[in-house]
Amino acid sequence: MSSDKLNIRISSSRELSDEQKAKLESMLGEKLIRCRQETDPDSIGGMRMKVGDTVYDLTIRHFIDRFASKEKNRTDVDAALSVTEDIKKNIQSIDTDIDVYEIGHVVSVGDGICKVAGLADVMAGEMLEFEGNLRGMVMDLGEEVGVILLGDYHKLQEGDVARRTREIMSVPVGDALIGRVVDALGRPIDGKGPIHTTETRAIESPAPSVLHRKGVSVPLQTGIKAIDALVPIGRGQRELIIGDRQTGKTAIALDAIINQKGQNCICIYVAIGQKESTVVDVLDKLKEHGAMDYTIVVSAAAADPAPMLYIAPYSGVSMAEYFMYKGKDVLIVYDDLSKQAVTYREISLLLQRPPGREAYPGDIFYLHSRLLERAARLSDDMGGGSITALPIIETQAGDISAYIPTNVISITDGQIFLESDLFHAGTRPAINVGLSVSRVGGDAQMGAMKQVAGLLRMNLAQYRELAAFSQFGSDLDKATLATLNRGRHMSEVIKQGQFEPVSVPDQVVQIVAASEGFTDDVPIEKMQDFESRVVDYVKMNFPEYEAEVMTGKKLSKESMEKLRSLIKEFRDSYDA
């Protein structure tokens, strides 16, 4: 019968007397328990009882530790309070009831992963606490629980205690995060002090259902002519930015963020596996253009443990969801998900999950789909907010048919493909018009832009095709030469410097000028000057034009005729 008894271990600052032991056993039920008592001078006073994995703690040491933890995290100290009054105030606020918690013990640790024995009732995704304010997240359930460690784990050793929090992994959310730089756990890393937030949100949340969504119909302007005209993005869309290293992927994302100034759109930039110096450069650019007033930067640097890179995108989208469900529009950039995929592969192999294609675990598709599906435009009943996602994927030698690129392409609503050859030839942004597509953005495109962009795409496609063949022959007919000439001018129109956003009305003027042949005899080197001056001329002589474009509707027949005539007038008077 003794094997049916429950083992209970009791520790206190001094050994219990025989009378105390007898009394305790009679209280607990002598036939049901096997009680073992030990002395723990560090407990100072009080008693701790462990039943299986569960600990009932009423020691003075534990009370002091809880008080110290509260003091460490406290941010609302009244400077006028004396030290004594301050301590009294906080001691009174500490809950002195018995603290009940479950613990396990570290069996093995290494490379940002540990295995924990015990914790029979732990949940997947639950946050665990270790010594030294180290946190972990449960990834695998079994006899030994697989945990990813979110922080400096080098002091963690076998036998150390892991404590359940009964909370799913969460990050702080709220308006206080705007303008700040935080790590993957939402902790400030910009040296500007604590962030005063009262709400948290689980990093893993279900995506909005189809019933709670509505179609993409409101444009998100990037200020980049090649995108707004040829691959338009709508609020609530997921548009992939893909290309080789150093082809301008981050530049496009930053331009899109900077162009949201005054557009009532909150931006979140998630840096995954970037060098800290690169993140600092991004911050400097955002500050320089006033974009940090409406932007949150989440940084999981290359030097951080792999689990931090894994959860960073989920932390970012949780912060975005807070605003979306309050009816606001959010633009979130994941830079880049290739590094997150590699990190997840590393974590999964360390957790001994079976590898699949190209040594990635079988659920690598689910890794990104459950992230990107959280981008949506909510129905009016849900507040009408939106999250527009711009994930970035790095290709190797332009291979967009590789495993991870094809996975993410199949999840998103289109892609902007940046080509190395175009980039090195001086076309910036180096967007390949043939391989770039926006499957739903056309519904959100402004009427005036839709009116003129079709001709631009067709002419550029003809030019790229003819340009490839023309290099093999010298005798070309006049029609071919004319097409090549116009194509060169149109290619020049969609070139654009970084951090130089162009408004939609200005883009329409420049596209009409090039696509309808008004710039055919303008020297290529003069195109930039012509573009800026023709815009000024139209604004000066057609003041109501800009307001008509911004209504979102197509330009009337009369307005289009007037626009063409003004461009022609300017061209006739332009001194090339």
Side-chain angles (χ1 to χ4, degrees), residues 439-459:
R439 298 186 185 94
V440 298
D443 294 337
Q445 194 172 30
M446 284 193 171
M449 181 63 82
K450 191 179 291 188
Q451 210 170 344
V452 302
L455 191 58
L456 173 66
R457 177 180 283 277
M458 186 177 69
N459 287 344

Side-chain angles (χ1 to χ4, degrees), residues 193-480:
I195 296 174
H196 302 272
T197 59
T198 57
E199 293 187 51
T200 60
R201 191 173 182 88
I203 64 169
E204 295 272 12
S205 298
S209 72
V210 175
L211 296 176
H212 294 157
R213 297 176 184 241
K214 68 176 178 180
V216 173
S217 58
V218 178
L220 185 133
Q221 307 296 347
T222 64
I224 301 170
K225 290 178 278 187
I227 294 176
D228 292 342
L230 302 175
V231 278
I233 300 171
R235 297 194 177 190
Q237 186 173 341
R238 301 153 298 182
E239 185 76 6
L240 173 64
I241 302 173
I242 186 168
D244 284 3
R245 186 173 177 273
Q246 297 292 327
T247 51
K249 301 185 296 298
T250 301
I252 284 179
L254 293 183
D255 278 353
I257 290 174
I258 289 168
N259 198 55
Q260 301 314 305
K261 190 171 187 177
Q263 303 297 316
N264 195 27
C265 181
I266 293 162
C267 300
I268 299 176
Y269 177 80
V270 185
I272 308 163
Q274 308 290 332
K275 292 185 294 185
E276 290 184 3
S277 59
T278 303
V279 178
V280 170
D281 289 342
V282 168
L283 275 173
D284 289 342
K285 292 297 182 185
L286 293 175
K287 288 176 183 174
E288 182 184 330
H289 292 86
M292 283 304 291
D293 294 340
Y294 52 87
T295 301
I296 302 168
V297 174
V298 181
S299 175
D304 289 341
M308 297 289 273
L309 277 64
Y310 161 65
I311 72 164
Y314 298 105
S315 299
V317 76
S318 296
M319 295 172 191
E321 282 177 331
Y322 168 84
F323 297 107
M324 178 178 73
Y325 285 108
K326 288 190 175 294
K328 298 181 180 180
D329 293 311
V330 186
L331 169 65
I332 185 166
V333 175
Y334 305 109
D335 189 8
D336 65 65
L337 293 185
S338 300
K339 292 185 176 67
Q340 191 211 16
V342 171
T343 297
Y344 184 65
R345 173 171 63 185
E346 176 186 333
I347 290 171
S348 296
L349 295 179
L350 287 167
L351 289 170
Q352 299 180 344
R353 294 182 176 180
R357 178 178 166 188
E358 297 181 30
Y360 282 100
D363 61 342
I364 192 73
F365 177 89
Y366 182 55
L367 173 77
H368 291 147
S369 66
R370 73 178 191 266
L371 171 71
L372 294 172
E373 289 291 344
R374 291 163 73 176
R377 186 167 178 229
L378 296 180
S379 63
D380 293 335
D381 292 340
M382 295 293 292
S386 71
I387 294 177
T388 307
L390 296 181
I392 295 175
I393 288 287
E394 183 179 304
T395 54
Q396 304 291 329
D399 183 12
I400 62 172
S401 63
Y403 188 34
I404 298 303
T406 51
N407 271 353
V408 183
I409 285 173
S410 65
I411 298 166
T412 51
D413 304 312
Q415 69 275 348
I416 298 167
F417 180 61
L418 303 179
E419 193 173 359
S420 298
D421 291 343
L422 289 173
F423 184 85
H424 296 310
T427 301
R428 315 281 172 81
I431 296 176
N432 182 314
V433 178
L435 293 177
S436 299
V437 64
S438 178
R439 298 186 185 94
V440 298
D443 294 337
Q445 194 172 30
M446 284 193 171
M449 181 63 82
K450 191 179 291 188
Q451 210 170 344
V452 302
L455 191 58
L456 173 66
R457 177 180 283 277
M458 186 177 69
N459 287 344
L460 278 173
Q462 284 180 339
Y463 166 66
R464 297 272 165 87
E465 187 175 349
L466 285 173
F469 286 104
S470 64
Q471 60 185 323
F472 299 110
S474 56
D475 297 329
L476 301 173
D477 59 77
K478 285 186 178 180
T480 302

Side-chain angles (χ1 to χ4, degrees), residues 33 49 62 113 121 215 220 224 237 331 432 465 537 549:
I33 61 101
M49 183 168 65
H62 187 62
I113 300 293
D121 299 324
L220 185 133
I224 301 170
Q237 186 173 341
L331 169 65
N432 182 314
E465 187 175 349
Y537 186 81
V549 171

